[in-house]
Each structure stands twice: as C-alpha cells, then as structure tokens.
Amino acid sequence: MPQTTLFPAATIAGYPRIGARRELKRSLERYWAGKIDRATFDSEVSQQVDARISHLKGLGLDGAAAQPADFVPYDQVLTLTCALGAVPQRFGNLVRPDGSLDVDGEFTLARGVDDKAALEMTKWFDTNYHYLVPEIGLYTPIKPVANPWLSQVAAGGKAGRPVLVGPVTYLLGAKPTGDAPAQFNPLDRLDDVLAAFEVFLAQFAAAGVDWVQLDEPGLVRDTWALPRTDVLAAAAKAYDFLGGLSQRPALFVNAPYGDLGSDGREALAGTPIEAIGLDLVAGQVPAAEDLARLEGKTVVAGVVSGRNIWRTDFAAALEKLRQVQAVCPRVAVSTSTSLQHVPHDVAVETAIDPEVRSWLAFADQKIAEVQVLARALADSDSVHEALAENARILETRAKHPGVRRAEVRAATAAVVDGDRTRAPYAERVAAQRVLDLPLLPTTTIGSFPQTAEIRRARAAWRKGEIDDAGYREEIKAEIARVVRLQEDLGLDVLVHGEAERNDMVQYFAEQLEGFATTEHGWVQSYGSRCTRPSILWGDVTRPHPMTVEWSAYAQGLTSKPMKGMLTGPVTIMAWSFVRDDVPRREVADQIGLALRAEIADLEASGIRIIQVDEPAIRELLPLRRAGRAAYLDWSVGAFRLATGGAKTATQIHTHLCYSEFNVVVDAIDHLDADVTSIEASRSKMDILPAVADHGFERGLGPGIWDIHSPRVPKLDEEIGLLEKAVAALDPRQLWVNPDCGLKTRAYPETVATLQNLVAAAKAVRQEIQDQD
Ligand code: GLN
Ligand code: ZN
C-alpha cells in the first residue's frame, strides 16, 4: 500500500486537448501538410501542454493530484497502444528496436499510409468522439516501451494525475487481429497488459506521482461480446494485481458514461484500489447498502456532466453528494466524464442570447462548479451566494417562454399511433410506380463536393459582404450546375447537392426555434477533426419551411425525380447538446413534428422522394441492453412521426452511415422507410446475405463507393460489388449509390466514380435481363 496523500476534494476527469482556439488542430494539420517541420511541431505542442497546465492551475486545479495529466496528440487509446508497442504487423517497419514508435509512427497508425490501412476508428462509448481501435492477437507485442505521461507530469512539477485508459477497457475496445484463432478474445492478453502497467506505475511512483487515474468505462457497458461476469472477473483480477503492487501511486479507477451497477461496484470494491469514480449523471446514486461496500475508499462523485453544456443544478448535485457522503465519508467532487466532450469557454460566445448563455457551462465553467460543490459539501454557508445565484438562474431558465410552449406541448400530446403509421408497404410500392424508376436505380446520398467558391460565398454572406439575394443566386447557380452534372452522368434520382448547408444538423438548428448555435464551441471528433454541436434549449417549432426553396428550384430544372433531403430527429439530437429538463422522447417528437410539416411542404411543392438521414441512430444506442427497447421506441417513433404523414405515393428514403447487421435490420424493420441506403463497400457487402435471410421486401442501397477515401474504384470493382448484392437480394429491391455524402470529396474523383457507378448499374441490369 503506497503512502497516499488524500484525493483532492474537487477535480475533473479530463480536459479538452484541442485548445480553446483549436491550437492543436492547427499544429497537426500544418505539420501533416509539411508546412512546419518536426521541431516546430514538437515545440508548438509542448507549449500547448504547458499552457494547458497553467490554465488549469489558474482555474484552481492546482493541488498535486487535482489536475489530470491527460494530454495526447491524437487519441488516448492510440497513445496507450503506442506505449504498449502493440503495433499491428503491417506497421512493423515503423517500430524502433526497443519496440517504440515516434510521433510520426503514431500518426501513421492513425491515418494510414499507401496501401497500409489506418487502425479502424469507432465511437468511444455513446459519444461523438472516435478512438482508434487496437488490433490485438495472440502474438501482438505488448510491452511497456514508452511512458508518454511522464513528460506531462514533469512539465507540471509534482502536479498532475496521469490518466490512462484502463487495461480492461483497452482490451475490450480492441478487435482481434485477422490471424487470431476463432475463440480468441483480446482480453486473453490481460496479463501482458497488466505487466506493462506494473512498469508504468513504478515509473510514476519514482517520479513522485501521488495518484493515477485508470479509466474503465468498459465496466459500465454490458453489450460486449464477452459475458458481463467474465468482464467483471477480469476487472477484479486486474485491480487485485495492480493494487497489490508496492511500487505504485494510489489508484483511482474511474467508470464514466453510465452506471457501474452494483455488480460492477462489487467487483472493484473487493480490490485494494484507493478511489473509485462513479458517473452520477448517467448513473444513479447507489443504495446505502451498495455504497457501504466501498467503505474505506474515496468515492469520486461525477455530479457535473462532462457530456452536456448545462449549468449544473447545485441543489440536486449536493443532494447526491450528501447521499454518498452519508455512507462513504471520503467523497470528492468531479465531472461525470472527461470534459473532452464539451467546448472550452462559454464566455466567448457573445452571439448567444445572454439569457440562454447564462444557463450554460462549458469546460472552464464546469471546473468552477466542481470547486463550488466541494466547498458546499464541506460547509454550505461558505458558498451561500453561489448556491443562491445558481437557484435563481435555473428558475429563470424554467420560466423562459421558449422553454415551454403550450402549442408545442399540445401538439406532441395529441400525437396518436396512427400518425406514426403509413399505408402498408405493398400499397406504397404500387402508388410509387408512378416514379417510373428503372431496375437498380442510381442515386447519391445528398451532398456534392462543397467547392471553395461556395464556402467563400457563405463566409461573405455571414459577414454581410453579400446580401441574402446575392447569396441565394450563388447557391442556385451551384444547384443548377450539380443538377446538370447528374443529368449528364445519367443518374436516375437526383439531389440538389446541399450546397446551402454548412453542416447537416446546424443548417436545421439555425432555422428551427429552440436552438442556439455557437461561434467557437468546437469539440474533438477524432484527431484534428472537430464539430460544433448546436444547443437545443427550448421547445422546437418550425417558423418557416427550411429546404423547400432549394428542392423545388432543383426539381424545376429536371424531369427526373429530385430527392428532398432532411436530417432526422435522432441525428439532430445526437449531434447537438440536448436540453436536460424534458425527456428525450418529448424532444424527439417535437423535432419529428417540425420535420413532418417540412415533408408536407416538400410534397406540396412537387417533391416525390424524400430522404430523412439517420446516420446517428446507432450512436445513441444505450450501453446497457436493458435500455435498448425504450430507446428504439422513442427514436424510431420520432422518425415515423416525421415521415408518417407522407403520402402513399411519396417514396421515403433513409440513410445510415454503417452496415452493422443489427442496426440495418432494425432500421429496415422499424423505421419503415421505403428505401434505406447504408455503407457497405469497405465490408464488401458481407452483411447482405444475412440481411436477405431476414426476409425483407423493402428497398436497400448498399454503398458501392467508400467516400472516406479519395480512391476511385475501378468499374470492375463496382460491378463486382453490385453483382454480390444482386446475388444476395432480389434485384428489384436494390439501389445503386455511394456509401455516404460527397461533401468532403473533390470533383474529379466524384465525376469519375459516378461515371463508373452508372456504368456498373447498366452492366448489371443487362446481365439480369440476359438471364431472364
Ligand atoms: N445527406 C447527407 C450528405 O450527403 C448525409 C451525410 C451523412 O450521412 N453523414 O452529406
Ligand atoms: Zn452517411
């Protein structure tokens, strides 16, 4: 048992790395583009690390262990992969004799090179952050080859609590290498990872580190391939081992993103760790008997949300803290998750209505909140003013007229099941024959490349340099160009190209009532990529049509069907910060009704095919099996409310950005769209036979072009993918389209690939006719 200093009374589970002005993004992208050399890059990054440490100190996180040392240049999972030297074989040439990689090697793992594919990316739990999936096999090297956290600890003097992804979560989040035996699970390599952690911990102890944080969100999730009992047994074993070491700092095991569950708490309670972190925003305060098991340990209570941007309700948070304290006297106040999911500072958002802004807390405000709560827990009189002000602000929020609009609540309350139900599919198919589509109709997912001219025009319009009319003319000219291009290419169902949209959620958020958008509220999505989520704060209404002008204009340019293009309710919610004061089901239905009105207006303007994109439906899937039915009920319900008013003859499409069997099957089963497009080219149509076995009659468009890569697939390749699809499904169900929107692609590869796509459809149509 190490000599322990007490855990700090207030801390955060982690802090954004990208920088308040996206400094890290700039350094990374300039370095990758060859605009700065390695020495400049290194010195910029080390300045950012130093600035971050002094910034956090300035905000009051200055105790030895209060400040997380969690900076990584790209991704926290990737950093651990590199520290373990767990490099896939194809990158073997990057590895130095001691098994380590330099930062260029680390970036190559993240971004790929030539024909060596990057590590796969996937969403980190139920967030919009993507981590790089480790590839672990029987013989993958796993050794403590580097300790990238030490330099930060040194930079901050004694201050700094290294934050590492915990060994169990690391392996649960890995995928087996292709050559691993069928029954192999990466968790089989736990002993090797533990041996490496033994070394890391000894190095930390030698450097004078008092506390280390090991993140184990894997323990809040019960949807891994392994049974939960195996996962918890691995956790107990891991922390018995690490806790039993003599050369180590005190261990803080954090379990963010959900409720650890009494079985999870029990597994950790029996181990000699010193502190355990509970997410008390996504999870509940455990019952007293359950908490009693943690006796003797510090409970790090995550009562300030790391996932949303709302000012914390101090009274409610204090109540939770006191419940914990009643059983476990050593309580520390923290955030529920790392603050990496929220922007830096609300003070710079001067364009947000001041009243709405007063309800918000970004990362820096949340750091102040944990400290107030810690003081309040010790002596509530000491922060009497702050508590009173908090209560006052929450009250004004609750009373704001935009937060609760009687007409909106009446409209959602009046929804009946019939509103979510269209005519039977067979009737729809018959009515939709008027569309007169060929076998294997060709289409795209919506966006065409966003040209520099369009971006410039939008920027000029926002700055007031061109007026509304001038901007509209620019957009219309672009739409006309995109329509002509598609006619020349011979596509069957056209799109207007989405030139007017900066972002598929923000575009709608800017036009609906109930949303605010930020100017600087960037959060890291992966690597140097950031998104700027909108803030959904009030009841949602649609003051005016949002897409009709563009779609109707585009339809007027062609006799082919023009697809209307909307973002679905679940995706709008998943990619925004959503209000925490009404159930998500209510919010989803409000958006659903707004989209329903938009669909009616699109129909009235002559649009006969409407796509409602739901690429995010999988992201919000609960981490616990038990929550899934309720989630599917409200998410699917909102989509069906949006689309349920469409005429029988209107063809409703949806689009998902992946091709996991379960998600696709659920979408086709429950969303009841006439046509679903999915990503499929990278997985080479592998799921189609299973999907077909499920017995579907509705339309499916498995993407035959991986738009994440600039590579132009050859005609033969596109034909091959299509032939696989035709072999698996009834050709009458099949659509031919790319994997996703073309917004991030350039025109040359877009034109070349779509030419091939149309030619492939024609070739396979011919093959089918020849067989008949
Ligand atoms: N319609 C959108 C586009 O084409 C869909 C994007 C997405 O699925 N992420 O850009
Ligand atoms: Zn997509």
Side-chain angles (χ1 to χ4, degrees):
M1 168 93 175
Q3 168 82 41
T4 10
T5 55
L6 282 183
F7 195 85
T11 188
I12 56 173
Y15 189 72
R17 311 173 287 233
I18 205 74
R21 281 172 298 280
R22 287 182 292 161
E23 293 86 345
L24 177 60
K25 174 189 178 71
R26 299 231 161 77
S27 298
L28 286 169
E29 291 178 355
R30 280 161 53 237
Y31 179 54
W32 294 334
K35 291 184 184 145
I36 54 173
D37 62 11
R38 173 65 191 280
T40 312
F41 173 75
D42 285 346
S43 97
E44 287 184 7
V45 169
S46 85
Q47 273 168 30
Q48 288 165 25
V49 173
D50 291 348
R52 188 175 187 260
I53 291 169
S54 33
H55 180 68
L56 292 179
K57 279 193 177 153
L59 293 174
L61 293 182
D62 55 358
Q67 189 174 124
D70 64 338
F71 181 88
V72 292
Y74 197 102
D75 164 49
Q76 65 261 29
V77 179
L78 177 65
T79 289
L80 180 54
T81 293
C82 294
L84 295 170
V87 176
Q89 234 165 35
R90 65 182 176 285
F91 294 112
N93 63 315
L94 303 173
V95 176
R96 296 183 286 215
D98 65 356
S100 69
L101 290 169
D102 70 355
V103 78
D104 293 321
E106 186 164 347
F107 293 151
T108 304
L109 258 55
R111 306 173 72 227
V113 64
D114 305 329
D115 58 338
K116 292 177 190 163
L119 295 184
E120 218 177 83
M121 254 186 339
T122 197
K123 300 253 170 180
W124 181 240
F125 296 85
D126 56 355
T127 75
N128 284 330
Y129 176 75
H130 302 71
Y131 76 99
L132 289 159
V133 179
E135 296 172 20
I136 304 289
L138 266 181
Y139 305 107
T140 305
I142 297 182
K143 288 250 159 57
V145 297
N147 188 329
W149 301 272
L150 273 181
S151 60
Q152 284 172 71
V153 175
K158 236 184 129 193
R161 177 180 82 234
V163 179
L164 283 72
V165 175
V168 179
T169 296
Y170 178 76
L171 291 169
L172 286 172
K175 67 173 206 183
T177 50
D179 59 2
Q183 67 290 6
F184 173 82
N185 184 292
L187 203 53
D188 298 347
R189 300 290 307 274
L190 183 61
D191 287 345
D192 300 311
V193 175
L194 292 177
F197 271 66
E198 174 174 4
V199 174
F200 297 148
L201 293 183
Q203 290 165 339
F204 291 140
V209 168
D210 291 323
W211 284 88
V212 66
Q213 174 181 332
L214 302 176
D215 283 338
E216 290 287 12
L219 308 184
V220 310
R221 176 171 174 171
D222 67 0
T223 48
W224 299 110
L226 289 173
R228 181 153 175 85
T229 44
D230 291 6
V231 169
L232 295 182
K237 172 180 164 180
Y239 291 102
D240 269 333
F241 173 77
L242 296 176
L245 299 169
S246 53
Q247 283 291 309
R248 64 169 178 92
L251 297 176
F252 162 33
V253 176
N254 196 28
Y257 304 111
D259 200 313
L260 183 53
S262 61
D263 54 352
R265 285 183 288 270
E266 186 174 359
L268 291 177
T271 71
I273 61 172
E274 283 77 19
I276 177 166
L278 304 178
D279 181 335
L280 298 183
V281 176
Q284 308 274 324
V285 176
E289 323 76 86
D290 184 340
L291 273 175
R293 289 199 197 107
L294 302 176
E295 219 214 296
K297 300 194 192 307
T298 297
V299 175
V300 183
V303 291
V304 169
S305 174
R307 300 291 303 280
N308 73 31
I309 42 62
W310 304 106
R311 197 181 268 274
T312 302
D313 178 340
F314 281 166
L318 263 179
E319 175 58 31
K320 293 181 196 172
L321 290 166
R322 293 205 174 102
Q323 284 173 21
V324 176
Q325 194 183 36
V327 187
C328 301
R330 288 192 195 171
V331 186
V333 184
S334 185
T335 54
S336 63
T337 70
S338 167
L339 297 173
Q340 74 177 108
H341 308 297
V342 298
H344 279 260
D345 185 5
V346 77
V348 297
E349 299 297 341
T350 48
I352 299 183
D353 171 62
E355 161 122 45
V356 173
R357 184 156 45 110
S358 75
W359 310 338
L360 307 180
F362 290 2
D364 288 359
Q365 286 70 42
K366 286 170 188 281
I367 291 177
E369 289 188 336
V370 290
Q371 295 172 80
V372 172
L373 285 168
R375 259 175 270 140
L377 190 60
D379 170 12
S380 55
D381 287 341
S382 68
V383 284
H384 178 79
E385 274 292 301
L387 299 184
E389 193 206 1
N390 178 269
R392 229 171 16 245
I393 292 173
L394 294 182
E395 206 183 309
T396 44
R397 177 178 167 196
K399 286 197 185 135
H400 189 285
V403 162
R404 193 185 173 87
R405 295 173 188 256
E407 75 283 10
V408 176
R409 300 302 170 102
T412 52
V415 169
V416 294
D417 280 351
D419 297 333
R420 305 186 202 261
T421 315
R422 298 183 72 204
Y425 182 64
E427 271 174 48
R428 283 159 23 207
V429 170
Q432 290 163 21
R433 288 218 178 92
V434 294
L435 290 168
D436 198 24
L437 298 170
L439 190 67
L440 305 178
T442 53
T443 191
T444 59
I445 305 304
S447 59
F448 266 68
Q450 285 258 336
T451 59
E453 297 86 84
I454 286 298
R455 284 183 219 271
R456 261 201 299 278
R458 181 157 37 247
W461 171 60
R462 290 201 188 265
K463 284 193 215 131
E465 291 163 13
I466 56 173
D467 63 5
D468 287 3
Y471 177 62
R472 286 231 278 281
E473 285 320 304
E474 297 259 8
I475 297 289
K476 285 191 172 163
E478 179 68 11
I479 290 175
R481 232 176 45 74
V482 168
V483 171
R484 218 173 311 121
L485 172 65
Q486 295 172 84
E487 293 221 303
D488 291 347
L489 286 165
L491 287 153
D492 300 309
V493 172
L494 310 195
V495 296
H496 75 285
E498 301 180 23
E500 77 286 7
R501 301 186 192 173
N502 41 353
D503 173 281
M504 65 186 286
V505 171
Q506 194 178 332
Y507 178 77
F508 292 92
E510 281 173 351
Q511 302 194 63
L512 292 166
E513 291 289 342
F515 284 86
T517 54
T518 70
E519 289 172 278
H520 312 282
W522 297 99
V523 297
Q524 188 181 23
S525 168
Y526 63 92
S528 67
R529 295 297 194 100
C530 301
T531 62
R532 200 159 34 128
S534 300
I535 296 169
L536 200 179
W537 60 267
D539 280 356
V540 176
T541 60
R542 187 193 70 135
H544 48 74
M546 304 179 283
T547 64
V548 175
E549 179 184 2
W550 311 123
S551 291
Y553 171 71
Q555 181 66 84
L557 300 173
T558 177
S559 56
K560 299 224 171 124
M562 174 62 55
K563 261 198 286 194
M565 204 59 60
L566 303 175
T567 302
V570 185
T571 299
I572 289 182
M573 287 173 70
W575 294 350
S576 301
F577 291 117
V578 179
R579 60 192 298 184
D580 58 353
D581 57 342
V582 294
R584 292 200 292 181
R585 175 185 294 276
E586 168 69 26
V587 178
D589 274 357
Q590 291 181 8
I591 303 172
L593 283 176
L595 294 171
R596 186 181 177 102
E598 184 75 10
I599 289 178
D601 284 341
L602 282 168
E603 285 179 326
S605 77
I607 298 295
R608 297 173 297 161
I609 303 185
I610 298 168
Q611 179 172 311
V612 181
D613 289 329
E614 283 293 19
I617 213 155
R618 176 186 64 172
E619 267 157 43
L620 294 189
L621 258 183
L623 301 172
R624 293 280 191 163
R625 278 199 179 91
R628 295 214 159 160
Y631 165 72
L632 280 177
D633 190 53
W634 71 252
S635 59
V636 166
F639 179 93
R640 293 179 59 143
L641 181 57
T643 54
K647 294 182 194 147
T648 306
T650 300
Q651 191 170 69
I652 296 290
H653 290 214
T654 191
H655 166 68
L656 313 176
C657 276
Y658 26 73
S659 56
E660 259 164 58
F661 173 75
N662 290 325
V663 182
V664 172
V665 166
D666 281 346
I668 300 178
D669 258 353
H670 302 299
L671 295 179
D672 195 31
D674 299 304
V675 180
T676 305
S677 63
I678 58 168
E679 175 192 301
S681 67
R682 258 184 297 185
S683 54
K684 309 209 163 47
M685 310 275 157
D686 282 349
I687 69 154
L688 292 192
V691 171
D693 281 349
H694 208 264
F696 287 122
E697 36 177 11
R698 275 165 273 182
L700 188 68
I704 61 171
W705 173 27
D706 173 10
I707 63 89
H708 297 97
S709 150
R711 205 177 139 264
V712 176
K714 304 216 168 59
L715 177 58
D716 283 355
E717 257 176 79
E718 297 201 17
I719 292 179
L721 290 174
L722 211 48
E723 283 171 344
K724 269 179 96 170
V726 167
L729 287 151
D730 181 341
R732 282 167 302 184
Q733 293 175 262
L734 273 174
W735 283 66
V736 182
N737 46 256
D739 269 345
C740 194
L742 309 175
K743 187 166 60 191
T744 56
R745 295 272 59 92
Y747 264 105
E749 71 234 29
T750 297
V751 172
T753 311
L754 292 179
Q755 268 163 354
N756 284 350
L757 183 142
V758 171
K762 285 190 178 144
V764 177
R765 268 176 214 155
Q766 192 59 51
E767 287 170 19
I768 294 170
Q769 269 145 24
D770 292 347
Q771 279 164 21
D772 286 350

